[in-house]
Amino acid sequence: MDNLISLVNKIQRACTALGDHGEASALPTLWESLPSIAVVGGQSSGKSSVLESVVGKDFLPRGSGIVTRRPLVLQLHKIDEGSREYAEFLHLPRKRFTDFAAVRREIQDETDRETGRSKQISSVPIHLSIYSPNVVNLTLIDLPGLTKVAVEGQPDSIVQDIENMVRAFIEKPNCIILAISPANQDLATSDAIKISREVDPTGERTLGVLTKIDLMDKGTDAVDIDKFGNSWSHFTWGFIKGIVVEKMLEGKSYRLKFPWVGVVNRSQADINKNVDMIAARRREREYFASTPEYKHLAPRMGSEYLAKMLSKHLEGVIKSKIPGIQSLINKTIAELESELSRLGKPIAADAGGKMYSIMEICRLFDQIYKEHLDGIRPGGDKIYNVFDNQLPAALKRLQFDKQLSMENIRKLITEADGYQPHLIAPEQGYRRLIESSVVTIRGPAEAAVDAVHGLLKDLVHKAISETIELKQYPALRVEVSNAAIESLERMKDTSKKATLQLVDMECSYLTVDFFRKLPQDADKGGNPTHSIFDRYNDSYLRRIVTTTDLKSSRCNMQTGSTVLSYVNMVCASLRNSIPKSIVYCQVREAKRSLLDHFFTDLGKLEQKQLSSLLNEDPAVMERRAALAKRLELYRSAQAEIDAVAWSK
């Protein structure tokens, strides 16, 4: 079971080293979940003497006024008999103290380093580990003594500040309260009992210790503790010594869940004479064994019994809390990792590191952008909708019938013939009719290019918003967005040029085979003797546009080859080739080289310019550093718990 206390000791030291003191903050705290024993008492209650008796060493600062001004986490480690005793401070990890007078001085010096010499207090604990064959495995937290008056050099608020600090420690549900009260004072005024009852009214977490039992002199007034809290009666100490304190130690007065423990401290004269702690323990045992009022209680009295009882009690509490602590640690690690992931990685210091960071972030953005286009993420399907719905609908809306109206046909045919009317077929007229109709397809083609460009831009904005790493660097986010949009603009211009060239190609060269089967009058039973001018009548012109086999203007090849059927054939062909051109020039290039120009320009930047791209909110940087430290703490605690084989 001793390894359980050692486990908590390690985690407590890690908490202090990584800034977790249990104070209220925006970060999760592990300190509060760890079972601990906090020593509470007023000034001159004998609190320091109890701790020194438990340790068996004289090592705590002494003096008038408020001596303990920072919490002291005292971790006791039992070592083999005959081994030399020594002490170590967490803030001096490679230094061993074998002179305990030097330990006292270091506690004072470390307190002053944190609080200055103004006698202020601080909640940042000092960690002291003592290794000795004369101790049990135990951890105690010595808190500043409760006081009622500020001493010279301290603000008037010091009284309330100390009380607030003590309450902040002992109000936590995992804190065991060791309430130190002197037996030679009115228990009704005990600072330790008063504040303990406020935070633990049922006494479930409170262990009571009575000090200075041997100092109760006759004639001194005291309180009948059996009636504590209701009515008060006064007796002489001669009566109290034999009855009231005995009742209290027997658990018949001011009951707590756990029995009270009485201790006999060294007197001031003993301290002045440097009486050995081992000798003081022996005298304490003799006192309880020889005093009639306490003889029957002697086996569970004294500082040695107190230490063993506390160790056993702490072990039991730790064992019961370990599963909950493990669950809390696992949950908090997941939460910390999630938030750190959202905040992104810290900035590299050197130019190469900054360049790598920028390239890596851009790669992540580019990957997300490609996933949108490839259908892994939503958005790319809208491009297909342009090809499958918008472009065909736009082509259908083209009014070829206006282009091929009788009036327009007559005008173009006669103009094309010039002074010499055509002999067999109005070839130039055909060309002009076809060109004037096909050229109208440029509008839908250009609109398709613009529509896809708009969708590609939308996907850029979406990919940027989904690239978590870009959120922490506003300047880089703007630059990447601008660079991507500029690339898309260039691709759009290239695509528009290529797509419109497809339309222009159809205008510039007609498919000859299509017209080699033009119907002749003789073939159709016509009269070849008609006047040349009869070829400009409505019946003849109508044959140029359509045939008796063409029933609609859909993009179909009918038996008869006419202007309208040729235009429809071209329309059908372009409906398939325009999407190919757009995909090749825009979509494909966006996947291949969206940020190529940005990378080229990036390589020309100086370190200062690179740094400007990676500027981020200082609050985010501080938060990330704090979260990283706290995550380190929780992972360390997780590893420590996993490594301990504790019995169930």
Side-chain angles (χ1 to χ4, degrees):
M1 289 289 287
D2 287 346
N3 56 358
L4 290 180
I5 294 180
S6 298
L7 166 67
V8 173
N9 288 349
K10 291 178 181 178
I11 297 176
Q12 282 180 332
R13 287 197 294 270
C15 284
T16 297
L18 295 171
D20 182 1
H21 311 131
E23 295 178 301
S25 71
L27 293 170
T29 174
L30 181 58
W31 180 280
E32 291 186 4
S33 67
L34 300 175
S36 59
I37 299 177
V39 185
V40 181
Q43 285 182 316
S44 303
S45 64
K47 182 165 63 72
S48 296
S49 295
V50 170
L51 290 174
E52 290 182 331
S53 295
V54 168
V55 175
K57 285 292 178 181
D58 190 354
F59 68 98
L60 291 174
R62 295 182 180 275
S64 60
I66 302 171
V67 179
T68 303
R69 292 184 285 122
R70 290 176 61 182
L72 175 67
V73 180
L74 178 61
Q75 298 178 343
L76 306 181
H77 307 266
K78 186 174 181 61
I79 56 177
D80 295 337
E81 291 291 336
S83 300
R84 189 175 185 181
E85 299 170 306
Y86 66 93
E88 289 181 342
F89 287 94
L90 180 64
H91 62 275
L92 297 172
R94 289 179 292 276
K95 184 175 182 180
R96 287 188 175 185
F97 292 78
T98 54
D99 179 3
F100 282 81
V103 172
R104 181 188 301 112
R105 290 192 297 272
E106 181 58 31
I107 292 174
Q108 292 172 325
D109 292 343
E110 178 62 13
T111 298
D112 290 340
R113 292 185 195 110
E114 179 68 25
T115 65
R117 297 185 177 275
S118 60
K119 299 186 179 180
Q120 295 284 349
I121 64 170
S122 170
S123 61
V124 179
I126 299 173
H127 275 258
L128 173 63
S129 296
I130 295 179
Y131 300 81
S132 169
N134 302 316
V135 300
V136 294
N137 289 310
L138 180 62
T139 299
L140 300 168
I141 303 176
D142 183 23
L143 298 174
L146 296 163
T147 185
K148 293 180 173 61
V149 180
V151 300
E152 184 179 355
Q154 291 181 327
D156 294 337
S157 64
I158 193 72
V159 175
Q160 190 62 46
D161 292 342
I162 292 176
E163 183 176 329
N164 291 342
M165 179 194 295
V166 172
R167 182 177 284 104
F169 269 87
I170 67 175
E171 69 183 0
K172 297 176 177 64
N174 290 323
C175 179
I176 303 163
I177 306 168
L178 187 63
I180 310 293
S181 299
N184 63 343
Q185 293 181 12
D186 187 350
L187 195 62
T189 63
S190 168
D191 297 313
I193 295 299
K194 177 178 178 291
I195 197 169
S196 297
R197 295 188 85 180
E198 291 176 3
V199 299
D200 182 32
T202 62
E204 295 287 318
R205 299 187 288 113
T206 303
L207 303 172
V209 177
L210 276 179
T211 64
K212 305 183 181 181
I213 292 177
D214 57 324
L215 300 182
M216 296 184 298
D217 299 325
K218 290 185 178 182
T220 304
D221 288 338
V223 176
D224 183 352
I225 306 174
D226 197 25
K227 298 178 181 179
F228 181 74
N230 297 311
S231 60
W232 310 99
S233 302
H234 293 275
F235 298 86
T236 64
W237 272 112
F239 181 76
I240 294 296
K241 183 175 182 180
I243 299 177
V244 178
V245 174
E246 181 182 356
K247 284 184 179 181
M248 191 170 183
L249 295 176
E250 287 177 344
K252 297 177 181 178
S253 296
Y254 190 68
R255 293 181 180 85
L256 298 173
K257 183 178 180 180
F258 306 97
W260 287 77
V261 177
V263 297
V264 175
N265 301 330
R266 289 184 304 167
S267 66
Q268 188 59 48
D270 292 337
I271 294 172
N272 294 338
K273 294 177 183 178
N274 293 321
V275 173
D276 181 72
M277 281 291 183
I278 303 302
R281 285 181 178 178
R282 184 174 60 253
R283 285 170 50 183
E284 182 184 44
R285 289 195 300 270
E286 292 172 354
Y287 174 82
F288 284 110
S290 61
T291 303
E293 292 85 356
Y294 312 124
K295 189 174 182 179
H296 64 294
L297 300 173
R300 59 181 182 85
M301 293 291 118
S303 56
E304 288 180 290
Y305 169 79
L306 175 64
K308 293 176 183 178
M309 183 270 290
L310 291 175
S311 179
K312 184 177 180 180
H313 183 72
L314 182 60
E315 287 169 353
V317 173
I318 293 173
K319 183 177 180 180
S320 68
K321 299 291 184 181
I322 283 291
I325 294 174
Q326 283 182 305
S327 178
L328 172 67
I329 287 174
N330 293 336
K331 177 184 176 184
T332 308
I333 285 176
E335 292 172 350
L336 291 171
E337 288 177 338
S338 176
E339 185 172 356
L340 276 172
S341 177
R342 289 196 302 271
L343 293 178
K345 297 178 181 179
I347 304 170
D350 60 295
K354 292 180 188 297
M355 177 70 77
Y356 176 81
S357 296
I358 294 173
M359 296 287 286
E360 185 68 12
I361 292 171
C362 290
R363 186 192 66 79
L364 293 172
F365 158 77
D366 196 50
Q367 181 62 36
I368 292 173
Y369 189 73
K370 289 176 181 177
E371 289 176 0
H372 279 291
L373 291 175
D374 292 337
I376 300 174
R377 297 173 186 251
D381 56 306
K382 294 181 180 180
I383 295 176
Y384 175 72
N385 183 62
V386 172
F387 302 147
D388 195 50
N389 293 310
Q390 294 183 32
L391 177 61
L395 292 174
K396 285 182 179 181
R397 288 194 297 270
L398 293 177
Q399 298 179 344
F400 292 131
D401 55 337
K402 289 186 178 181
Q403 290 294 121
L404 301 178
S405 65
M406 290 299 103
E407 181 181 352
N408 197 44
I409 292 172
R410 182 178 288 105
K411 177 176 180 294
L412 291 178
I413 291 294
T414 55
E415 287 179 354
D417 281 348
Y419 74 92
Q420 177 67 57
H422 62 274
L423 299 177
I424 299 175
E427 181 177 331
Q428 292 301 321
Y430 272 106
R431 291 185 181 278
R432 292 194 182 185
L433 283 172
I434 291 170
E435 289 175 7
S436 65
S437 298
V438 171
V439 76
T440 61
I441 300 177
R442 289 173 63 96
E446 193 169 0
V449 171
D450 291 336
V452 171
H453 175 69
L455 293 174
L456 293 174
K457 283 175 61 178
D458 291 342
L459 292 182
V460 165
H461 298 312
K462 186 174 290 189
I464 283 179
S465 67
E466 293 173 2
T467 305
I468 298 173
E469 291 75 8
L470 281 175
K471 292 182 179 179
Q472 68 185 100
Y473 306 118
L476 180 59
R477 183 170 64 244
V478 170
E479 289 297 322
V480 170
S481 177
N482 291 342
I485 298 302
E486 288 175 5
S487 290
L488 291 180
E489 291 288 345
R490 285 190 291 270
M491 295 171 192
K492 182 190 75 171
D493 293 341
T494 302
S495 177
K496 189 169 290 187
K497 181 178 179 180
T499 303
L500 294 181
Q501 280 180 338
L502 291 177
V503 180
D504 294 342
M505 289 176 189
E506 294 291 350
C507 294
S508 63
Y509 185 80
L510 305 184
T511 304
V512 178
D513 288 344
F514 191 91
F515 291 95
R516 284 177 177 168
K517 297 179 180 180
L518 280 175
Q520 301 297 321
D521 288 340
D523 297 335
K524 294 296 181 179
N527 186 355
T529 62
H530 281 174
S531 166
I532 195 67
F533 296 103
D534 290 339
R535 303 204 177 188
Y536 295 111
N537 63 35
D538 289 350
S539 176
Y540 177 77
L541 294 175
R542 192 173 295 110
R543 289 183 60 224
I544 294 175
V545 182
T546 185
T547 70
T548 56
D549 296 323
L550 187 62
K551 302 301 182 182
S552 69
S553 62
R554 290 173 299 183
C555 297
N556 297 320
M557 267 303 285
Q558 303 293 342
T559 304
S561 300
T562 65
V563 171
L564 184 57
S565 58
Y566 183 83
V567 170
N568 286 330
M569 181 199 72
V570 171
C571 179
S573 175
L574 288 175
R575 175 180 171 178
N576 294 322
S577 59
I578 288 173
K580 294 178 181 179
S581 173
I582 292 174
V583 168
Y584 184 84
C585 296
Q586 289 176 264
V587 180
R588 174 177 170 272
E589 284 303 305
K591 290 175 63 177
R592 291 180 57 188
S593 59
L594 185 63
L595 294 179
D596 281 6
H597 284 81
F598 176 72
F599 292 147
T600 301
D601 295 337
L602 192 64
K604 303 174 184 178
L605 298 181
E606 301 292 336
Q607 181 170 350
K608 185 176 181 180
Q609 295 170 306
L610 291 174
S611 299
S612 67
L613 292 177
L614 295 176
N615 284 337
E616 65 176 334
D617 187 347
V620 173
M621 298 173 65
E622 292 176 8
R623 177 70 176 173
R624 184 191 299 111
L627 288 172
K629 288 180 65 176
R630 197 54 53 95
L631 180 60
E632 180 185 351
L633 166 62
Y634 276 83
R635 283 176 174 166
S636 172
Q638 185 182 54
E640 293 289 354
I641 291 177
D642 291 344
V644 172
W646 51 281
S647 59
K648 296 184 179 179

